[in-house]
Amino acid sequence: MFTKSSPIEIKAEPGGNVEGMAWSFAHAPDQVGDHILPAAFRHDERLPMRLEHKGQIGEWERVSVDDDGVRVAGKIDRTTRDGREAAARATDGELSGLSIGFSGEYQKSGTNRIFTRAELTEVSLTGRPANAGSRVTAVKSLHECQSISEFEKSLKDRLGISRRQARAIANTAWPLFNREDPGDVAGILKSISMR
């Protein structure tokens, strides 16, 4: 299996939802001279989210290829110790890249490899990127919720609680949390979500 890495940029606190560019066509060849042609990519609708190509820490729920590259959107599983640790490390900047795992076929062109088929098997958070153009564009935080229903869903996902429990918390906390300056409420919810 081949692996290729790309830098990411974390723009929010650790959360469940992550979006980004897993492979950028504009920045090929990568640091080791590999190109992956746009038509080469094959993938399932969902892919495992891994940490450094090892244990699964979540799932990429959307994978798509467009003119710019391979875009992914998924969720870190914060109910596991590894998931919580990965979210914290990504937010701290320690995990600064995305890396794709794939099997494929290529042709040599001088010292470069040009992949004509790339079957994606996973996308990892990593600290050692190779493709300079791929970025995480969002890690959804509680502060960014635009409605009480989005806030409720985020609470449910982040805390691993039932829908009923999330609704009860959201009904109480949303009026306070939705203020211009949420103050201590954000800190309290963040500490709860890290448990």
Side-chain angles (χ1 to χ4, degrees), residues 72-182:
V72 291
K75 191 177 298 176
I76 296 173
D77 182 0
R78 294 179 53 83
T79 65
T80 68
R81 183 176 49 88
D82 289 345
R84 287 188 299 274
E85 181 181 322
R89 288 176 61 200
T91 301
D92 290 344
E94 186 179 336
L95 296 175
S96 60
L98 286 177
S99 182
I100 59 174
F102 65 101
S103 58
E105 298 171 0
Y106 63 89
Q107 300 170 350
K108 290 289 277 183
S109 176
T111 60
N112 293 340
R113 295 185 301 180
I114 300 172
F115 284 86
T116 56
R117 187 180 67 77
E119 182 75 35
L120 288 177
T121 56
E122 54 94 5
V123 178
S124 288
L125 293 174
T126 184
R128 301 196 57 108
N131 179 299
S134 299
R135 303 266 182 237
V136 164
T137 56
V139 178
K140 191 79 165 191
S141 76
L142 290 172
H143 311 189
E144 298 170 312
C145 294
Q146 299 298 310
S147 67
I148 191 168
S149 60
E150 190 178 348
F151 185 68
E152 178 185 318
K153 182 181 181 328
S154 187
L155 284 169
K156 180 183 175 298
D157 293 344
R158 293 186 68 174
L159 301 176
I161 59 177
S162 73
R163 186 178 196 180
R164 187 174 56 86
Q165 291 169 319
R167 183 173 295 131
I169 293 170
N171 285 334
T172 303
W174 178 251
L176 298 172
F177 197 81
N178 192 34
R179 297 184 318 201
E180 186 74 27
D181 176 17

Side-chain angles (χ1 to χ4, degrees), residues 8-11 16-22 49 60 62 70-76 98 125 134-140:
I8 63 174
E9 183 178 294
I10 302 298
K11 294 186 176 179
N17 299 324
V18 181
E19 297 179 10
M21 180 75 71
M49 181 188 298
W60 299 104
R62 254 188 3 250
V70 178
R71 296 184 190 276
V72 291
K75 191 177 298 176
I76 296 173
L98 286 177
L125 293 174
S134 299
R135 303 266 182 237
V136 164
T137 56
V139 178
K140 191 79 165 191

